C-alpha cells in the first residue's frame, strides 16, 4: 500500500531523533505533489540557534552519485568506455597489470580492489578499521590542509590491495572516486568539479548545490559535531574544513530539497539516459566502511523495506555531518535527511561501536519517511 504523507508522524519522528541525542537534523519528504519539510534541534549547541529545513549541508558520499552520473554522461558521448581499463586513460596513476585489469565500471562499483587512502592520509586513523586503536588527532591537524588528489590516489594504489580486480564482495574505497575525478579531467579537459557542476548540478537546476573550493559553507548552515566514537567529548565542530581530502568522492554541499530534485530527475532518466540508469542500478555486493555488506551499483545503492518497493539513492558522512537521500524507483516517494553529528556510538571492550538510541530513532524516521 502506498500511503500519503503522515505529517504528524514525520514531525514526531524528527523530534524523537533530536531527543535521542542528535543536536540537530532536518529533512524533506515528497510524495507526488505532497511535500513535508521538518527540522528539530539546534544548528549551534553554544548559541541554541535552531536548524531549519532549508539549510545548506555537507552531504558526504552522496557526491559519488553526482560523479558517477558525470562519468556515465561521458560514456554516452563515447569519450569513456565503461568496461575499458583505467590504465588506458591514466597509465601513470594505475600502472602495469592493475591498470590493465581495473575497469571504469570497477571504480564506479568499488570492485577495483584498490585500498582506501584515508588511513594513510590521516596518521591517527592508520589502524582503521580497528577503531579502538584510532584517534581523532589528525582531524584537527588537517583542517586547512590542501591535499593533492594524485598524492591521495598514490596512497591508495600503493597500499596492499583489498581484493582482486572485479572480485566480489567489493570493498568501498574513496580512492576509486578520486580516480574517476581524474578520469573526467583527462577526457573533458575541465576539472572534475567544473565538469560535474556544468553537466550535473546546473543541468538539474540545483541552485543551492556546489563542490566547494574553500573550507567554508556559504549561506545558512549548521555546525557539524564529530564525536569519533566517544573519543571527542564533547563533540567538536568541524563545519569549517578544507574538503580536498575527499574532492569528487564526498565534498558536495547541498540542501535536502536539491537532493530530492536531483535523485528524482536521475531516476526519471533526465540526468543520464535510461540505458545508463539501468547500468547504475546493476548491483554487486560491497563491504561498506561500517563493515556491512550492501548491494551497490554505479554510484547508487538500493534500500528495500519488507514487502515494499526498492528505493535508490546514497548516504554520506564527513567529519561531523551526514545525510541520506532515497527515492522510490517510480520517483514518486522521496526522502532526504541531514544530521549534524557523526560517529556518536561509543566503542565497547571488544572494539565494536555500541548501539545508541539515536540509531533506532533514525531508523524509525527513515521508515516513516519512505513507507509511513
Amino acid at each position: 500500500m502506498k500511503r500519503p504523507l503522515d505529517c504528524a508522524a514525520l514531525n514526531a519522528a524528527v523530534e524523537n531523533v533530536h531527543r535521542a541525542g542528535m543536536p540537530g537534523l532536518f529533512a524533506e519528504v515528497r510524495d507526488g505533489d505532497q511535500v513535508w519539510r521538518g527540522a528539530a534541534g539546534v544548528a549551534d549547541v553554544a548559541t541554541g540557534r535552531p536548524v531549519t529545513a532549508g539549510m545548506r549541508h555537507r552531504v558526504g558520499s552522496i557526491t559519488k552519485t553526482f560523479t558517477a552520473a558525470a562519468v556515465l554522461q561521458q560514456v554516452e558521448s563515447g569519450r569513456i568506455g565503461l568496461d575499458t581499463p583505467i590504465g588506458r586513460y591514466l597509465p601513470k596513476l594505475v600502472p602495469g597489470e592493475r591498470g590493465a585489469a581495473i575497469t571504469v565500471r570497477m571504480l564506479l562499483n568499488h570492485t577495483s580492489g584498490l585500498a582506501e587512502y584515508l588511513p594513510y592520509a590521516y596518521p591517527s586513523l592508520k589502524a582503521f578499521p580497528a577503531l579502538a586503536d584510532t584517534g581523532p588527532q589528525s582531524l584537527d591537524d588537517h583542517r586547512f590542509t590542501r591535499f593533492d588528489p594524485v598524492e591521495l590516489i598514490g596512497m591508495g594504489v600503493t597500499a596492499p590491495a583489498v581484493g582482486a580486480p572485479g572480485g566480489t564482495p567489493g570493498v568501498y574505497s574513496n580512492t576509486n572516486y578520486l580516480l574517476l575525478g581524474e578520469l573526467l579531467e583527462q577526457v573533458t579537459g575541465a576539472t572534475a568539479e567544473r565538469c560535474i557542476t556544468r553537466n550535473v548540478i546546473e543541468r538539474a537546476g540545483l541552485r543551492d548545490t556546489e563542490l566547494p573550493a574553500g573550507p567554508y559553507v556559504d549561506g545558512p548552515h549548521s555546525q557539524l559535531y564529530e564525536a569519533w566514537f566517544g573519543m571527542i567529548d564533547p563533540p567538536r565542530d568541524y563545519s569549517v574544513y578544507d574538503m580536498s581530502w575527499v574532492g569528487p568522492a564526498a565534498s558536495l554541499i547541498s540542501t535536502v530539497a536539491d537532493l530530492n530534485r536531483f535523485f528524482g530527475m536521475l531516476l526519471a532518466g533526465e540526468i543520464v539516459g535510461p540505458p545508463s540508469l539501468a547500468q547504475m542500478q546493476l548491483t554487486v555486493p560491497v563491504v561498506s566502511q561500517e563493515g556491512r555488506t550492501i548491494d551497490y551499483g554505479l554510484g547508487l545503492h538500493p534500500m528495500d523495506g519488507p514487502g515494499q518497493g526498492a528505493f535508490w539513492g546514497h548516504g554520506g558522512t564527513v567529519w561531523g555531518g551526514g545525510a541520506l537521500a532515497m527515492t522510490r524507483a517510480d520517483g514518486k516517494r522521496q526522502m532526504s535527511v541531514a544530521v549534524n553529528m557523526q560517529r556518536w556510538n561509543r566503542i565497547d571492550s571488544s572494539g565494536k561501536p555500541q548501539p545508541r538510541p539515536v540509531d533506532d530513532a533514525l531508523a524509525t524516521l527513515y521508515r516513516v519517511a519512505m513507507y509511513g
Side-chain angles (χ1 to χ4, degrees):
M1 279 290 293
K2 296 177 173 66
R3 288 176 284 186
L5 298 186
D6 185 336
C7 295
L10 285 163
N11 287 329
V14 165
E15 282 292 343
N16 285 340
V17 177
H18 170 53
R19 285 200 196 98
M22 181 62 63
L25 71 155
F26 44 101
E28 180 187 88
V29 181
R30 307 182 74 95
D31 194 305
D33 296 333
Q34 251 196 310
V35 182
W36 169 89
R37 294 185 187 97
V42 297
D44 187 326
V45 296
T47 66
R49 175 171 61 93
V51 285
T52 63
M55 283 182 161
R56 302 181 84 224
H57 195 71
R58 298 197 191 278
V59 300
S61 285
I62 293 174
T63 312
K64 290 181 172 69
T65 315
F66 286 70
T67 301
V71 170
L72 266 293
Q73 289 172 345
Q74 298 305 315
V75 172
E76 291 173 346
S77 73
R79 290 195 188 97
I80 293 174
L82 201 48
D83 295 301
T84 300
I86 191 63
R88 284 212 205 145
Y89 302 106
L90 303 169
K92 291 181 180 174
L93 295 186
V94 193
E97 290 182 11
R98 286 173 101 191
I102 295 169
T103 65
V104 173
R105 184 189 299 273
M106 292 172 199
L107 298 175
L108 286 160
N109 69 10
H110 299 292
T111 59
S112 69
L114 293 172
E116 174 63 64
Y117 63 80
L118 277 176
Y120 303 92
Y122 283 77
S124 67
L125 307 185
K126 187 154 191 180
F128 187 86
L131 297 175
D133 298 325
T134 65
Q137 299 86 343
S138 50
L139 275 61
D140 284 319
D141 298 340
H142 287 313
R143 190 184 282 268
F144 295 106
T145 300
R146 195 73 189 159
F147 282 106
D148 178 351
V150 171
E151 287 182 16
L152 295 175
I153 289 166
M155 295 175 190
V157 171
T158 56
V162 293
T168 56
V171 177
Y172 191 95
S173 169
N174 285 294
T175 305
N176 295 315
Y177 275 74
L178 289 198
L179 273 164
L180 292 167
E182 295 301 302
L183 173 62
L184 284 171
E185 184 166 345
Q186 173 76 19
V187 302
T188 67
T191 65
E193 287 76 15
R194 184 70 199 118
C195 176
I196 295 163
T197 299
R198 185 177 59 232
N199 297 335
V200 180
I201 294 171
E202 291 176 359
R203 183 169 177 172
L206 309 181
R207 295 182 180 175
D208 295 307
T209 299
E210 67 172 335
L211 290 156
Y216 298 96
V217 180
D218 294 329
H221 63 279
S222 175
Q223 313 307 107
L224 301 177
Y225 297 102
E226 179 60 53
W228 195 257
F229 305 102
M231 296 179 212
I232 308 177
D233 192 12
R236 192 172 303 138
D237 173 26
Y238 285 110
S239 56
V240 176
Y241 212 95
D242 188 299
M243 297 303 290
S244 58
W245 64 282
V246 279
S251 67
L252 196 74
I253 294 168
S254 192
T255 62
V256 289
D258 268 8
L259 291 178
N260 279 339
R261 178 179 174 84
F262 166 70
F263 280 102
M265 292 180 70
L266 181 69
L267 289 172
E270 295 172 17
I271 307 294
V272 299
S276 294
L277 178 62
Q279 292 292 327
M280 293 181 80
Q281 292 176 310
L282 286 175
T283 65
V284 293
V286 169
V287 179
S288 73
Q289 287 184 318
E290 294 76 38
R292 293 182 297 111
T293 300
I294 61 172
D295 293 323
Y296 196 94
L298 308 185
L300 272 180
H301 67 82
M303 280 178 72
D304 294 311
Q308 308 278 355
F311 278 68
W312 291 89
H314 213 291
T317 70
V318 294
W319 310 134
L324 178 65
M326 284 285 156
T327 291
R328 200 167 61 206
D330 64 6
K332 295 288 193 289
R333 184 83 168 214
Q334 298 189 276
M335 166 194 82
S336 289
V337 178
V339 298
N340 67 2
M341 183 170 68
Q342 278 304 306
R343 286 160 283 272
W344 52 80
N345 307 82
R346 291 176 183 269
I347 295 170
D348 64 19
S349 56
S350 70
K352 290 184 178 169
Q354 297 174 298
R356 298 292 292 269
V358 168
D359 300 307
D360 284 341
L362 270 173
T364 299
L365 171 60
Y366 298 153
R367 192 168 59 249
V368 171
M370 291 195 287
Y371 309 114

